């Protein structure tokens, strides 16, 4: 039986299915979830206190559950048996090297620069943004990529690479940018930070390891037993709904936890949000433009661009809370990250789909005129 595509993740050259009701109005649901979260945080503070009590160390159990359920369906959709084909593609070396350069050179340095440009007088907020910029995305990018109909297999590989590189490099990058480079920019402004590799590894294991393992087990047990048609056309659409509902649940929880601060410190929130907005837009457009110039097809360009533009806010929040305290400005800035990322990235999903319509052919290949522009 010929394998068919799962919802929102068709292979190159295959027309995407019509969006479901949940997908079609997802932007509305997301903004409604944000409003509901803020309302709960402001008018029902007991809810916030209860959610805060559901934590183990710096890990929020409700957010962890939401993120795991959000990431599991896209990872179950990945065709793991085809990952070898992806690495053997002629352009694979250029794709991977471009992604690593954008994620581990451009991204952290861009956030560092924006933090200093917009928050030179607010060191705690500045540090929170730097911690966010160093944390490369391993979670929500899977949902954004799925909605933008990017390549699921390539996104999974990039997520895996990001998890490995974060474990190795996060502590070094945080120390270098916050302690050394900040002191170069403004002598005396460097702050010593102590972030262990173990703490980074624990965060990656919770938020990526669990859903990755669940996705692999699901793929290798149910796919051969039930067949491609059942797996792709019956199970995957149902799991996709679970993923989006988990996304909405996570948004409600995150915004409820910070609802009071959003209302109490609106100007601070705006000042933190402005460099974040510039960051997401610059990283996405830069990655998309570079990928088009290198003539990557749309599915791989979309996956690459959303990976470059997103951040691992779970890790940034955990580190900010663990090192600087839950009531610190560092923690507030780290938490504002996903509050800005969610509406901006859902808008970029629509922009990516527009770019596909305008600059790519039906086969997913970039049009000659677009690559030469």
């Amino acid at each position: 039986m010929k394998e068919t595509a799962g919802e929102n993740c068709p292979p190159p050259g295959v027309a995407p299915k019509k969006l479901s009701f949940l997908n079609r109005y997802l932007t509305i649901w997301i903004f409604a979830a944000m409003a509901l979260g803020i309302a709960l945080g402001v008018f029902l503070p007991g809810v916030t206190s209860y959610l805060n009590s559901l934590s183990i160390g710096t890990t929020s159990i409700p957010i962890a559950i939401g993120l795991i359920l959000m990431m599991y369906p896209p990872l179950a959709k990945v065709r793991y048996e085809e990952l070898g084909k992806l690495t053997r593609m002629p352009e694979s070396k250029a794709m991977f090297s471009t992604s690593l350069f954008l994620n581990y050179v451009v991204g952290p340095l861009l956030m560092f620069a924006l933090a200093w440009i917009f928050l030179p007088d607010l060191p705690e907020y500045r540090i929170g943004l730097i911690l966010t910029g160093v944390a490369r995305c391993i979670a929500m990018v899977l949902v954004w990529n799925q909605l933008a109909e990017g390549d699921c297999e390539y996104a999974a590989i990039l997520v895996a690479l990001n998890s490995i590189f974060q474990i190795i490099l996060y502590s070094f990058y945080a120390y270098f940018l916050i302690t050394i480079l900040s002191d170069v920019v403004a002598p005396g402004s460097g702050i010593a930070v102590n972030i262990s590799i173990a703490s980074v590894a624990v965060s990656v294991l919770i938020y990526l390891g669990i859903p990755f393992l669940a996705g692999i087990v699901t793929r290798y047990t149910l796919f051969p037993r039930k067949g491609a048609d059942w797996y792709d056309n019956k199970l995957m659409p149902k799991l996709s709904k679970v993923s989006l509902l988990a996304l909405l649940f996570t948004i409600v929880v995150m915004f409820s936890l910070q609802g009071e601060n959003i209302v109490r410190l609106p100007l601070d929130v705006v000042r933190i949000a402005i460099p974040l907005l510039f960051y997401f837009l610059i990283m996405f457009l830069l990655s998309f433009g570079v990928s088009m110039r290198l003539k990557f097809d749309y599915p791989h360009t979309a996956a690459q661009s959303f990976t470059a533009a997103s951040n691992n806010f779970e890790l940034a929040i955990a580190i900010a809370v663990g090192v600087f305290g839950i009531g610190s400005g560092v923690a507030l800035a780290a938490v504002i990250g996903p509050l800005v990322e969610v509406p901006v990235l859902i808008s970029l999903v629509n922009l990516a789909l527009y770019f596909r319509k305008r600059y790519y052919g039906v086969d997913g290949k970039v049009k000659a005129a677009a690559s030469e522009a």
Side-chain angles (χ1 to χ4, degrees):
M1 182 179 294
K2 184 178 179 180
E3 182 172 333
T4 56
E7 184 182 40
N8 291 326
C9 196
V14 176
K17 295 183 177 181
K18 184 179 179 180
L19 290 177
S20 66
F21 178 76
L22 184 59
N23 274 344
R24 192 179 307 123
Y25 300 104
L26 183 59
T27 302
I28 296 175
W29 310 142
I30 284 178
F31 279 100
M34 292 163 58
L36 175 60
I38 293 174
L40 288 175
V42 173
F43 298 110
L44 295 175
V47 173
T48 302
S49 300
Y50 177 71
L51 291 173
N52 275 323
S53 69
L54 300 176
S55 299
I56 299 177
T58 58
T59 301
S60 167
I61 296 176
I63 291 179
I65 292 174
L67 289 169
I68 290 170
L69 290 176
M70 180 184 72
M71 294 171 63
Y72 160 61
L75 289 170
K77 189 177 295 183
V78 172
R79 301 175 181 88
Y80 295 97
E81 65 276 8
E82 295 185 8
L83 294 183
K85 297 179 183 178
L86 178 61
T87 60
R88 292 190 295 270
M89 291 173 55
E91 63 269 33
S92 62
K93 184 176 181 180
M95 289 193 302
F96 288 125
S97 59
T98 301
S99 178
L100 291 176
F101 179 75
L102 288 168
N103 275 285
Y104 291 96
V105 177
V106 178
L109 292 178
L110 175 62
M111 186 71 89
F112 176 86
L114 291 172
W116 270 101
I117 291 171
F118 289 97
L119 301 169
D121 58 329
L122 297 170
E124 287 199 352
Y125 293 164
R126 188 173 64 239
I127 292 171
L129 290 189
I130 293 172
L131 289 176
T132 301
V134 175
R136 310 314 302 163
C137 193
I138 63 170
M140 281 193 174
V141 66
L142 296 169
V143 177
W144 309 137
N145 176 70
Q146 174 180 281
L147 294 173
E149 296 164 9
D151 188 280
C152 296
E153 287 69 44
Y154 185 48
I157 290 179
L158 294 182
V159 163
L161 286 175
N162 274 346
S163 66
I164 295 171
F165 275 85
Q166 277 184 89
I167 293 173
I168 298 172
L169 295 177
Y170 189 90
S171 301
F172 163 77
Y173 254 130
Y175 179 82
F176 173 73
L177 294 176
I178 296 173
T179 305
I180 298 177
L181 196 57
S182 290
D183 197 55
V184 172
V185 174
S189 64
I191 299 176
V193 292
N194 182 22
I195 301 171
S196 69
I197 293 177
S199 63
V200 179
V202 168
S203 177
V204 171
L205 177 63
I206 293 173
Y207 296 116
L208 180 63
I210 294 174
F212 227 130
L213 178 61
I216 292 173
V217 170
T218 301
R219 181 76 183 181
Y220 280 101
T221 55
L222 294 182
F223 186 83
R225 185 178 304 174
K226 294 289 189 176
D229 183 65
W230 179 87
Y231 192 90
D232 290 329
N233 296 318
K234 293 184 179 180
L235 178 63
M236 284 299 104
K238 293 180 180 178
L239 288 184
S240 293
K241 291 181 176 63
V242 171
S243 180
L244 296 183
L245 291 173
L247 170 64
L248 297 176
F249 168 78
T250 305
I251 292 170
V252 171
V253 173
M254 288 191 303
F255 274 77
S256 67
L257 292 174
Q258 291 299 320
E260 185 178 349
N261 283 329
I262 292 172
V263 174
R264 182 171 58 88
L265 302 169
L267 294 180
D268 288 37
V269 172
V270 170
R271 289 198 63 181
I272 296 169
I274 291 174
L276 285 167
L277 176 61
F278 276 99
Y279 172 84
F280 295 133
L281 292 176
I282 292 172
M283 288 300 295
F284 179 83
L285 294 174
L286 177 63
S287 179
F288 216 102
V290 169
S291 298
M292 286 181 63
R293 294 291 292 182
L294 294 175
K295 297 183 179 180
F296 300 156
D297 62 20
Y298 173 79
H300 294 105
T301 295
Q304 183 134 295
S305 299
F306 282 104
T307 303
S310 303
N311 290 90
N312 182 1
F313 65 82
E314 310 91 345
L315 174 59
I317 293 172
I319 295 299
V321 172
V323 176
F324 296 94
I326 193 169
S328 66
V330 178
L332 174 61
V335 170
I336 295 301
L339 307 189
V340 177
E341 177 178 337
V342 169
V344 172
L345 267 292
I346 192 64
S347 300
L348 292 178
V349 167
N350 294 319
L351 182 61
L353 294 173
Y354 168 77
F355 284 163
R356 182 183 65 176
K357 181 179 180 180
R358 180 166 182 176
Y359 298 117
Y360 293 84
V362 294
D363 60 353
K365 301 295 183 182
V366 64
K367 297 176 182 177
S371 63
E372 294 170 1

